[in-house]
Amino acid sequence: MAPTEDAAAATPPPPPHFVIVPFVAQGHTIPMVDLARLLGSRGARVSLVTTPVNAARLRGVAGHATRAKLALDIVELPFPTDVAGLPPGIEHVDQVTNHNHCVLLFAALRRLAEPLEAYLRSLPPPRRPSCLVSDWCNGWTAAVSARLGIPRLFFQGPPCFYSLCDINAVDHGLHEQTAAARDDTEKFVVPGMPVRVEFLACYEAVLGKPVWALGPFCLANRGDAEATASRGNAPDVARQSAVTAWLDAMDTDDSVVFVSFGSLVRKLPNQLFEVGHGLEDSGVPFVWVVKESEAAAPEVAEWLAALEVRVAGRGLVVRGWAPQLAVLSHCAVGGFVTHCGWNSLLEAIAHGVPVATWPHFADQFLNERLVVDVLGVGVPVGVAEAAVMMLGDESAPVVAREDVARAVAALMGDGEEAGERRRKAKEYGEKAHRAMEKGGSSYESLTQLIESFRQSGGEKKTEDGTVHAWSPLKEQKKIDCYCNGSTDAEA
């Protein structure tokens, strides 16, 4: 017997299906995995699309418990194997050791458009995608979503402050002015940046598209010790225990400075020596993360071993990956020397930890201005040039040990300025927690996002005859929206 119209009307629509396509870099993938977890925890169906090497990483990070509890699928797309000049097995930015390989990796990623489209077309109802969420570096997904008539959100990890500066710079011809400048160190004022600004409202108005601010995502895992310890990497129980035990031995809260420069920056030996000497000279207890590739050189390994002897009990050198979120959330940690990647800054501020800023490339310099000049929670190390230092550039200027020691001492000091930074950091941390709680701004933004793409249960044919489930938002217009992983707190 066929169901009545009333019974059909009473049947709830299927949950929206978000297909997420992260960029293959640690700092990009981490927040998009967090977004997938949040969407899944709110009842949405989520598919994470990536390549085999990165899928293996994601499975290790997500954990069996997470996949069992949430409707999260990890979908593998075949990675091109015939890209001339790109060594086999390189599918992630962290694996790149040659600048030329970066260009080739981007070229290979663009060729994922065809298998992505094939995957999306293969999905039967009710699993047809409601929305494609792609990293802003994956511009090749735009044509796929357009051909299939699927709304696309682009996920941009940096804050709205950076995005607003960027779009204002474009609108006012600032890029042309900087290109024509005779001196690379010449500074320019970005027009249209009010002193006091609600970053989200201003950027949404300038962009002319809907914006959802959903973070900080790092707080979504609070209460889950395993997720906190493994954020960004597979769990390393022994390393986590060693770092935690060392911090537990500190008898004073907020006394330790944490030093880490993200997953991409690789410092040459001469700069590593200056960092180490600066930390030693500061007299402040520290946890310093040194990448395995940085510590591999014999002279560096020997020097680090000698440093550890000199600072025994006061300093801990962690070789390789460290559980950053677990460290920043520890009560003993009171400061963070950072490269100003937005994930790192969000993790610090969300846990009330002020920062010493050492930007290296891309949005990091504007992020520094935000936390130092606008939010008032940072002290600059003093990088004068916008030097790119991803793979240990020989031409990059060396920051002297005196500057490292000065910044650390100022960050961890007892003076009025240091106290004010700590007060503001804790205040923003409290705001961040409220934003993520039920009823908070980020929680409600996620609710609005999910409801915007909830399928109505109908279907619609595109011009090529393909049948897709449709959503109210898609019926309004073909839309390219913006999804930001930061808070919208007023500054």
Side-chain angles (χ1 to χ4, degrees):
M1 182 177 179
T4 64
E5 289 187 8
D6 289 342
T11 303
H17 181 194
F18 293 88
V19 176
I20 297 180
V21 190
F23 179 64
V24 292
Q26 195 83 329
H28 293 245
T29 300
I30 288 175
M32 296 195 78
V33 170
D34 286 339
L35 173 61
R37 288 167 58 96
L38 276 173
L39 289 168
S41 70
R42 301 285 290 277
R45 176 176 289 278
V46 186
S47 297
L48 269 165
V49 179
T50 189
T51 66
V53 167
N54 293 289
R57 289 189 175 203
L58 288 175
R59 289 189 178 97
V61 172
H64 295 288
T66 297
R67 294 199 304 277
K69 288 186 290 186
L70 307 182
L72 172 60
D73 298 322
I74 296 178
V75 179
E76 296 184 22
L77 300 182
F79 189 80
T81 58
D82 57 347
V83 179
L86 186 64
I90 292 184
E91 299 180 16
H92 196 280
V93 173
D94 291 1
Q95 299 172 305
V96 172
T97 58
N98 184 309
H99 285 292
N100 294 329
H101 293 164
C102 285
V103 177
L104 297 174
L105 178 60
F106 271 89
L109 292 173
R110 286 194 293 271
R111 291 169 57 180
L112 296 178
E114 184 175 337
L116 173 62
E117 183 170 339
Y119 160 70
L120 295 174
R121 288 184 182 277
S122 72
L123 295 174
R127 293 190 58 201
R128 297 191 188 279
S130 312
C131 172
L132 186 69
V133 185
S134 65
D135 188 281
W136 62 315
C137 291
N138 288 337
W140 50 270
T141 60
V144 175
S145 65
R147 283 193 294 269
L148 299 182
I150 301 172
R152 183 179 79 111
L153 299 180
F154 68 93
F155 181 93
Q156 186 163 331
C160 286
F161 178 82
Y162 165 79
S163 305
L164 183 58
C165 284
D166 188 45
I167 199 169
N168 281 343
V170 172
D171 288 348
H172 292 275
L174 203 59
H175 289 291
E176 289 78 7
Q177 296 178 42
T178 57
R182 297 181 180 179
D183 186 352
D184 289 340
T185 63
E186 185 176 351
K187 296 182 179 180
F188 296 83
V189 175
V190 179
M193 294 299 294
V195 174
R196 189 172 181 83
V197 56
E198 292 182 359
F199 300 130
L200 175 59
C202 285
Y203 184 61
E204 188 172 56
V206 172
L207 188 66
K209 297 179 185 293
V211 177
W212 288 279
L214 306 176
F217 291 150
C218 60
L219 295 180
N221 299 323
R222 62 186 185 276
D224 186 340
E226 181 181 349
T228 298
S230 63
R231 188 170 190 257
N233 209 332
D236 187 330
V237 177
R239 184 170 300 177
Q240 161 75 8
S241 299
V243 174
T244 300
W246 191 91
L247 290 171
D248 288 343
M250 295 292 110
D251 58 3
T252 306
D253 288 352
D254 299 331
S255 60
V256 177
V257 63
F258 178 55
V259 184
S260 180
F261 299 102
S263 60
L264 293 181
V265 173
R266 301 172 197 173
K267 296 188 180 299
L268 295 173
N270 59 342
Q271 183 62 87
L272 284 174
F273 298 156
E274 293 301 304
V275 174
H277 281 302
L279 293 174
E280 182 179 7
D281 296 345
S282 71
V284 174
F286 65 87
V287 175
W288 178 25
V289 181
V290 179
K291 296 180 181 62
E292 291 176 351
S293 59
E294 295 172 328
E299 68 272 22
V300 174
E302 181 180 352
W303 184 86
L304 284 174
L307 173 69
E308 289 175 299
V309 172
R310 296 197 303 270
V311 298
R314 180 171 71 83
L316 176 66
V317 178
V318 180
R319 292 166 178 78
W321 179 82
Q324 178 166 298
L325 191 57
V327 173
L328 288 172
S329 61
H330 197 284
C331 62
V333 175
F336 182 22
V337 180
T338 173
H339 64 305
C340 296
W342 190 237
N343 287 328
S344 292
L345 288 176
L346 270 183
E347 291 174 2
I349 296 172
H351 290 91
V353 178
V355 296
T357 57
W358 186 341
H360 291 72
F361 57 89
D363 61 301
Q364 296 166 10
F365 289 89
L366 283 175
N367 294 346
E368 178 185 49
R369 299 271 61 84
L370 172 62
V371 297
V372 173
D373 298 335
V374 180
L375 301 182
V377 297
V379 56
V381 169
V383 180
E385 300 180 38
V388 176
M389 292 172 56
M390 286 178 60
L391 300 176
D393 299 345
E394 296 283 352
S395 60
V398 176
V399 174
R401 65 190 68 180
E402 293 84 2
D403 291 323
V404 175
R406 172 196 51 77
V408 170
L411 179 67
M412 305 298 291
D414 296 325
E416 183 177 343
E417 289 187 10
E420 182 65 7
R421 276 192 294 269
R422 282 192 283 271
R423 185 194 65 77
K424 288 182 177 179
K426 293 187 184 302
E427 180 181 318
Y428 281 114
E430 292 168 357
K431 287 184 177 181
H433 279 78
R434 289 197 297 270
M436 292 296 291
E437 292 170 352
K438 188 172 183 178
S441 60
S442 293
Y443 184 95
E444 293 304 320
S445 289
L446 185 64
T447 301
Q448 294 166 14
L449 172 65
I450 293 172
E451 291 304 314
S452 295
F453 291 97
R454 188 174 295 280
Q455 296 175 355
S456 66
E459 291 185 342
K460 182 178 180 179
K461 282 190 175 182
T462 59
E463 293 181 359
D464 65 358
T466 305
V467 177
H468 295 287
W470 57 274
S471 70
L473 183 60
K474 195 176 89 176
E475 289 302 291
Q476 293 173 22
K477 59 181 177 178
K478 287 186 176 179
I479 194 164
D480 217 11
C481 304
Y482 173 88
C483 180
N484 188 273
S486 62
T487 63
D488 58 349
E490 183 180 317

